[in-house]
Amino acid sequence: MRQSSPSHRFVAAIIAIVTVAAVGCGKTPPASFRLNMVQATKATVPESGLEKPWASWSRERQQQVATILEAMFGTPDEPVALPETGLDLAKLQLAAGPVRSDIVGRKNGLYREHCAHCHGISGDGMGPTAAFLNPYPRDYRQGKFKFKSTWRDAKPTHDDLVRLLHEGVIGTSMPSFALLPPAQVDALAEYVKYLSMRGEAEIALFTYAEQELGADEALPTTKEFLVDEVLTPIAEKWQGAADARIPVAAIPAGVDFNLPGNDLANRDSVARGKALFLGDGGCVKCHGVTALGDGQANDYDDWNKAIVAVSAEVAVGLLSSKEAATGGMSSDALADHRARSAWLDSFAHVLEGDALRPRTIPPRNLRIGHYRGGRRPIDLYRRLYTGINGAPMPGVGPSGPGGKGSVADEEIWHLVNYIRSLPYEMDGELGADRPMVAKDRF
Amino acid sequence: MTLSTRFAPLCVLGLAAAVSGCSRPRIEAPVADAAAAITIREGLTTVAAGAGGGAGEAQVSGTGWGGLKGRFVFAGDPGQPKPLVVDKDTEVCGKMSKLFDQSLRVDTSSKGLADVVVFVRKSSRVKNPVPTTPVVFDQRNCEFLTPVLVARVGQPIDVRNSDTVGHNTNIDGTSFNQLIPAGQGTTYTAAGEMGMPRPATCNIHPWMKAYMIFRKDGYVAVSSADGSFEIPDLPAGEPLEFQVWHARSTGSGGGLVLEQPELKWNPKGRFTLTLQADEIKDLGVLDVPASAIGT
Amino acid sequence: MFKRIGGIFWALLFLAVPVLGVATFAISPFYDHWLPKDVSTHGAAIDSLFYFILVLTGVVFVVTEFLLFWFMWKYDRNNQEGHATYIQGSHTLEVVWTIIPAATLVFLAIYQMNAWADVKMRRPSMAPTVEVIARQFEWRLRYPGRDGTLGTADDLFVVNDLHLPVDEDVLIQLKSMDVLHSFFLPNLRIKQDAVPGMKIPVWFKAREVGQFDIVCAELCGWGHYKMKGRVTFESRPEFESWLERKYAEQQATQPPAEADVAAE
């Protein structure tokens, strides 16, 4: 056999060096929360008369917010739960940090093990796998949740979150965690609330900085401001979630959910539900006459809508900034123009790396029989009553206690009955608009 | 050159590419200052001894009531209003009259700028209680009939649909997103003060857009077709910071930026005034420069 | 001197392969690194096939490796005078070591046919007990409900928590909702790929009650490693009462009672 030539050995050495260099031989740094860069950039709009260059001024202000958030909420490895939040620190510690077992053998680091790769370490819905998923994972930082038992703009209860973890969300990449011990599911739900509160506090701080502070003012760090003004309103909404549950009307006569939808006993109810669905309420405008979800496909859910709006503003701003005649500007105006251009460029970068490409949200195809928020009659009732928070889906019930809906509370059960019968509807029922029944489709 | 030497650079490049991956480029986010965070945290967890000193200037307050009025005039060229793309319910929508983008309404003769919202950011006294008569928000011909709706927190809003098709009225930032069938209506009690006007849309007919603002003290005025506005019963003797807003303004957050150095109009669209008792301050004609209104 | 040690070194290194190989197999059962506990009725046949092949190939392996070592040791270049003789190959040898393995393999192929047929071909004629729909990254289960027919409105939908009656023939209808998965029950020696677009029957009978794993055995995405389910075998009355309970939960029309709601 030929001796290994010098060039062979050289190649082998290069590969070895490159591999070692790339892999490294040090400890990985601890994980840290990432600022909501879209909010951060939006809130640090350059003002005229800035003393220092915009880049360093905005960085300082953003770092201030990051420091305050770390003071209030801690780090991904060591969470902090101020008493005003009402969060259970023991549960948070179970969920936080790297995956390891503690001294009694309990599993820690649950969030990082189960959730962070999609939902991100900061709960921003932009973990490493998020870009490949349709629909995107939930961004907790707005404090909006879709599938819950409370009024539309109220928070979900702890049980709503636990139920979501238990069932998963069919039709999305959110799996079921039913096989985890209940204590672990509890800890994860608590950690989601923690991340959501942190995200909402971040938005509140940035909004305050943008609206109330001058260019040279720092954010106040007093207890009156941070705890009473910023944190307490957020925490109170979460703690009041259990009291914000929608009322559930009694089931009217002629509806028996224990029988199949096309059973004779339910026939009148299903017919009434169908009349409500096809009526001038507007369900068919989005879901289509055949309930296949072919009514329209150009609306966004709130998370994507925010990115679309911001992207449009930035695009318009960049265009006008490029077209501005810089020749005739005074030195002050020129400085302002430059700062604004720098801000717009930075915003465009942030939208590239810190925001997922916006996607429209199609109205649901009701004939498949997959209901994301749960398939029990009570789940469908809740979706119809308040609509879905964060999605374009409106409600047919009242919008708050003491309000009036477009459909009486009891009648909503007929709609529920109709919807549950749709996947099993016989072909002959719709004639020319014959949909593919779930059995054949699947 | 032997085969191996030719492949060597390729191998190295391939390895480097594989190891670095193709992740999206992310801007470097600012990192918290850990030591400062600990100091702040200590301040948050200790029980405050005595009434917390710090933020909270003494609220200056006077007696009596005044008023504010003025007229916004647009100095630029509003151009032709853009026709809206109507692609749903075309048998009904746009049938009574063609639908145009109403976000910039300038009176042709007086050049008055309508739908400018002026409101007080913080006040210490309110003269009138929350009215119980509802304010009406209606829609017909697939457009909202009120471009900017003002309500006081706690005031009922009569959300009506006088159209022949169903609509859903979605008030951003509130719990109200309800399907309203044709010819029906419902009442919504304005809950929660809004920092700036927020859009009210219809998800079924996406071109429909109006704005709403709910304030606790009710010191809000919307300029009429000729650009004039008036806010009565303002508390006198205290500095009042007014925020001026327009749907199409280029200022941050929607604030309308005018060149009014005597009023010290700041780039966020705000100015501060202290009114004397029984004084109706007339700001006169307020020129809105063309640069303040965007697309 | 060093050259001789060099030769010994490589010979001994190659000897370590069969020694360590056999040692690993000998020690593993004591560290629980062996076949999972078998609770099925057909599993014994499959396990015995496994052992037969293991012993057969093990013996051949040890012999071959030892021969390799022996030739390296004995005919080490530093130990020999003169050169090796070049031969054109031995026809006899080639025939021998082609015919014997071929015959062995044919024997194995015929020997295992019965075990294969039991698991993959002799489907019991019964209605499906449950439909398992593999989905990224969980197991969606669909029981027929009271009318006994799958695909009607009274079906029971559960996730990841498969309950089955013990000591009874079970027929599973396996489907996939998105990509290739593989329904693997290690403790029942059952493994079947779930192919999108196909309805594949899987059947078995469990001998013991208990909870065992369902694992995904076909790479299906980033969550493949955590696509675990749980199968519980219980007596028929317990199974039926579990079905009733789950069905009642599915029909819930009221929020749970206040007592069930955990304090915030």
Side-chain angles (χ1 to χ4, degrees):
Chain A
M1 188 155 71
R2 185 160 62 97
Q3 289 281 60
S4 57
S5 62
S7 60
H8 273 165
R9 286 199 210 126
F10 180 64
V11 170
I14 292 285
I15 290 177
I17 291 169
V18 168
T19 314
V20 170
V23 168
C25 42
K27 291 171 76 130
T28 43
S32 61
F33 285 126
R34 191 176 169 82
L35 267 188
N36 187 339
M37 290 307 294
V38 172
Q39 282 293 326
T41 317
K42 203 159 113 177
T44 48
V45 185
E47 284 183 17
S48 39
L50 271 183
E51 277 172 19
K52 12 183 135 126
W54 170 81
S56 71
W57 167 77
S58 77
R59 200 134 194 102
E60 272 175 29
R61 179 152 282 174
Q62 289 170 6
Q63 198 191 23
Q64 256 196 319
V65 174
T67 308
I68 292 177
L69 285 171
E70 183 162 320
M72 289 170 83
F73 292 97
T75 60
D77 286 345
E78 288 174 17
V80 165
L82 294 171
E84 289 78 9
T85 58
L87 292 169
D88 184 341
L89 185 62
K91 288 186 190 171
L92 292 182
Q93 283 168 339
L94 211 52
V99 181
R100 66 212 181 279
S101 289
D102 65 12
I103 202 160
V104 292
R106 262 192 316 229
K107 193 93 167 275
N108 280 35
L110 299 168
Y111 183 79
R112 220 169 287 187
E113 181 182 1
H114 295 294
C115 322
H117 50 82
C118 285
H119 287 281
I121 204 93
S122 317
D124 54 9
M126 286 193 282
T129 54
F132 305 108
L133 303 177
N134 188 0
Y136 293 131
R138 183 58 54 236
D139 179 353
Y140 305 135
R141 299 173 303 182
Q142 280 75 8
K144 276 193 200 169
F145 292 83
K146 278 174 145 186
F147 308 119
K148 52 195 178 61
S149 59
T150 54
W151 294 105
R152 193 185 174 99
D153 67 343
K155 303 287 180 222
T157 63
H158 187 81
D159 287 321
D160 287 336
L161 292 173
V162 166
R163 200 186 152 73
L164 256 174
L165 285 170
H166 234 262
E167 298 287 311
V169 182
I170 190 168
T172 71
S173 297
M174 173 69 185
S176 148
F177 291 97
L179 296 184
L180 287 182
Q184 292 189 7
V185 173
D186 232 9
L188 284 170
E190 197 80 355
Y191 199 76
V192 167
K193 284 198 279 195
Y194 161 84
L195 287 174
S196 179
M197 282 194 212
R198 184 184 175 280
E200 293 175 81
E202 181 171 17
I203 293 176
L205 286 168
F206 275 124
T207 310
Y208 181 84
E210 188 194 352
Q211 296 271 315
E212 309 287 340
L213 293 182
D216 46 3
E217 288 178 280
L219 276 159
T221 53
T222 59
K223 188 170 179 190
E224 286 71 38
F225 175 66
L226 289 178
V227 172
D228 298 334
E229 260 191 64
V230 172
L231 185 60
T232 305
I234 298 170
E236 271 175 359
K237 273 206 110 175
W238 274 101
Q239 285 157 9
D243 299 320
R245 283 203 210 104
I246 57 164
V248 179
I251 306 197
V255 177
D256 187 353
F257 287 117
N258 289 310
L259 299 170
N262 49 9
D263 192 284
L264 276 174
N266 279 318
R267 190 153 279 191
D268 287 336
S269 166
V270 169
R272 171 95 192 100
K274 183 169 179 173
L276 284 168
F277 183 83
L278 296 175
D280 59 2
C283 309
V284 294
K285 291 283 153 44
C286 293
H287 287 284
V289 169
T290 52
L292 285 171
D294 48 6
Q296 71 173 35
N298 54 3
D299 211 343
Y300 296 90
D301 63 25
D302 286 3
W303 298 271
N304 283 297
K305 198 178 274 189
I307 302 294
V308 167
V310 158
S311 307
E313 269 183 57
V314 169
V316 164
L318 278 171
L319 201 61
S320 64
S321 173
K322 283 197 179 56
E323 289 172 352
T326 51
M329 285 187 184
S330 64
S331 64
D332 276 350
L334 198 58
D336 286 348
H337 173 83
R338 287 222 183 89
R340 193 173 169 80
S341 304
W343 174 70
L344 285 166
D345 276 334
S346 162
F347 216 156
H349 263 120
V350 161
L351 285 171
E352 250 181 68
D354 270 87
L356 295 165
R357 207 162 287 162
R359 287 205 188 115
T360 55
I361 183 167
R364 203 58 58 213
N365 179 343
L366 299 170
R367 289 194 182 264
I368 296 185
H370 291 164
Y371 309 107
R372 290 194 185 175
R375 63 178 312 113
R376 304 175 305 169
I378 180 81
D379 296 318
L380 293 172
Y381 181 90
R382 284 170 176 155
R383 302 292 97 68
L384 288 167
Y385 198 87
T386 60
I388 299 178
N389 189 21
M393 168 77 184
V396 295
S399 59
K404 180 173 88 89
S406 52
V407 172
D409 287 12
E410 289 205 340
E411 303 265 285
I412 297 181
W413 288 116
H414 297 306
L415 255 178
V416 170
N417 216 344
Y418 174 64
I419 290 168
R420 274 162 60 95
S421 76
L422 280 173
Y424 306 100
E425 201 171 60
M426 293 298 121
D427 283 358
E429 303 255 336
L430 267 177
D433 301 312
R434 206 172 63 96
M436 216 195 294
V437 189
K439 278 193 295 193
D440 302 326
R441 176 186 281 269
F442 223 27
Chain B
M1 212 157 62
T2 61
L3 207 65
S4 53
T5 355
R6 230 175 285 159
F7 272 130
L10 280 171
C11 285
V12 172
L13 276 170
L15 199 66
V19 159
S20 62
C22 25
S23 49
R24 339 176 69 181
R26 270 188 148 187
I27 206 172
E28 205 194 306
V31 180
D33 179 351
I38 295 178
T39 321
I40 298 175
R41 193 180 307 150
E42 281 164 13
L44 297 178
T45 42
T46 51
V47 179
E57 325 86 39
Q59 183 74 45
V60 175
S61 193
T63 51
W65 307 94
L68 180 74
K69 62 182 191 182
R71 196 165 86 87
F72 289 100
V73 162
F74 185 48
D77 171 29
Q80 291 296 346
K82 278 193 298 251
L84 291 170
V85 176
V86 175
D87 50 3
K88 298 279 289 281
D89 286 326
T90 45
E91 329 79 49
V92 170
C93 296
K95 263 293 158 357
M96 287 170 52
S97 60
K98 266 189 79 71
L99 292 173
F100 290 96
D101 180 12
Q102 302 281 10
S103 56
L104 181 63
R105 293 195 300 155
V106 178
D107 187 36
T108 35
S109 53
S110 60
K111 302 283 257 163
L113 181 61
D115 304 327
V116 178
V117 181
V118 184
F119 61 96
V120 173
R121 298 192 73 233
K122 212 193 317 210
S123 64
S124 66
R125 306 178 282 140
V126 182
K127 188 170 190 204
N128 304 313
V130 178
T132 48
T133 49
V135 58
V136 173
F137 186 69
D138 204 350
Q139 46 203 315
R140 199 183 310 129
N141 190 34
C142 301
E143 64 181 334
F144 292 117
L145 300 181
T146 319
V148 181
L149 183 93
V150 172
R152 270 182 83 173
V153 173
Q155 184 174 12
I157 303 175
D158 197 358
V159 184
R160 290 198 207 141
N161 178 2
S162 307
D163 210 338
T164 46
V165 285
H167 288 290
N168 82 295
T169 307
N170 184 350
I171 308 177
D172 186 37
T174 67
S175 69
F176 192 87
N177 180 355
Q178 235 179 284
L179 263 183
I180 309 179
Q184 291 190 30
T186 186
T187 312
Y188 171 62
T189 311
E193 183 169 73
M194 291 181 183
M196 287 289 222
R198 294 187 134 185
T201 53
C202 173
N203 294 104
I204 303 175
H205 309 99
W207 62 83
M208 291 173 66
K209 192 172 185 179
Y211 288 88
M212 292 199 183
I213 179 163
F214 307 150
R215 299 291 297 176
K216 286 201 187 110
D217 52 21
Y219 292 132
V220 194
V222 183
S223 65
S224 54
D226 69 348
S228 58
F229 73 95
E230 180 170 359
I231 312 179
D233 299 329
L234 287 164
E238 65 186 67
L240 296 168
E241 193 182 21
F242 293 89
Q243 169 81 55
V244 181
W245 175 97
H246 188 268
R248 289 266 293 266
S249 85
T250 51
S252 71
L256 195 61
V257 184
L258 270 51
E259 277 146 38
Q260 296 281 342
E262 335 73 67
L263 283 173
K264 299 208 189 65
W265 204 286
N266 85 8
K268 292 195 172 109
R270 300 173 189 164
F271 63 92
T272 310
L273 281 176
T274 308
L275 298 169
Q276 310 300 323
D278 301 322
E279 175 200 1
I280 308 274
K281 183 145 175 91
D282 189 352
L283 295 174
V285 170
L286 295 159
D287 281 312
V288 178
S291 58
I293 299 286
T295 46
Chain C
M1 163 88 181
F2 282 110
K3 284 195 181 158
R4 175 70 180 143
I5 290 174
I8 292 176
F9 167 75
W10 286 106
L12 286 176
L13 187 67
F14 276 86
L15 181 63
V17 173
V19 169
L20 285 174
V22 174
T24 314
F25 273 85
I27 295 173
S28 295
F30 300 98
Y31 286 88
D32 220 5
H33 278 336
W34 199 236
L35 293 175
K37 175 179 165 165
D38 171 41
V39 298
S40 71
T41 50
H42 61 256
I46 295 174
D47 283 359
S48 64
L49 270 170
F50 171 82
Y51 286 122
F52 177 72
I53 296 171
L54 178 66
V55 168
L56 182 63
T57 50
V59 165
V60 171
F61 171 72
V62 170
V63 166
T64 318
E65 292 295 312
F66 184 77
L67 277 173
L68 179 66
F69 156 75
W70 176 244
F71 287 128
M72 288 180 81
W73 176 278
K74 180 152 194 268
Y75 298 105
D76 180 43
R77 189 209 336 208
N78 305 304
N79 212 19
Q80 293 292 316
E81 304 293 331
H83 295 290
T85 351
Y86 182 77
I87 57 169
Q88 298 282 20
S90 162
H91 189 70
T92 327
L93 209 50
E94 299 280 346
V95 169
V96 165
W97 69 35
T98 304
I99 299 260
I100 293 185
T104 315
L105 288 173
V106 170
F107 166 72
L108 277 172
I110 298 173
Y111 184 52
Q112 62 82 40
M113 278 171 97
N114 202 41
W116 177 263
D118 257 342
V119 182
K120 295 288 181 189
M121 294 165 90
R122 295 193 190 119
R123 172 160 40 143
S125 60
M126 54 187 281
T129 320
V130 64
E131 183 176 76
V132 174
I133 308 171
R135 172 173 113 84
Q136 286 176 321
F137 297 97
E138 58 194 6
W139 301 97
R140 293 253 153 198
L141 314 167
R142 191 172 175 184
Y143 289 89
R146 285 202 200 102
D147 63 353
T149 322
L150 266 174
T152 53
D154 70 345
D155 287 354
L156 171 66
F157 291 80
V158 192
V159 185
N160 274 352
D161 189 13
L162 176 63
H163 282 240
L164 293 168
V166 75
D167 289 323
E168 281 182 39
D169 278 320
V170 166
L171 179 68
I172 289 178
Q173 195 167 277
L174 183 63
K175 284 161 51 164
S176 167
M177 209 180 268
D178 36 33
V179 297
L180 283 175
H181 298 272
S182 184
F183 184 63
F184 181 25
L185 300 174
N187 296 86
L188 285 114
R189 311 294 190 254
I190 287 286
K191 195 188 278 190
Q192 175 59 52
D193 272 14
V195 182
M198 290 178 74
K199 274 193 241 185
I200 302 174
V202 177
W203 59 91
F204 52 85
K205 187 196 259 192
R207 284 182 284 115
E208 271 182 48
V209 296
Q211 284 186 350
F212 306 103
D213 290 333
I214 308 173
V215 185
C216 180
E218 179 69 40
L219 180 62
C220 50
W222 56 261
H224 165 71
Y225 73 98
K226 47 153 88 175
M227 188 164 157
K228 212 160 87 136
R230 180 175 60 204
V231 61
T232 308
F233 292 106
E234 48 196 5
S235 65
R236 177 49 68 164
E238 278 174 10
F239 173 59
E240 301 268 334
S241 77
W242 178 84
L243 283 175
E244 291 287 337
R245 217 168 0 104
K246 280 288 177 181
Y247 192 70
E249 271 175 37
Q250 187 179 277
Q251 300 299 92
T253 53
Q254 292 297 325
E258 289 306 317
D260 298 340
V261 175
E264 301 294 342

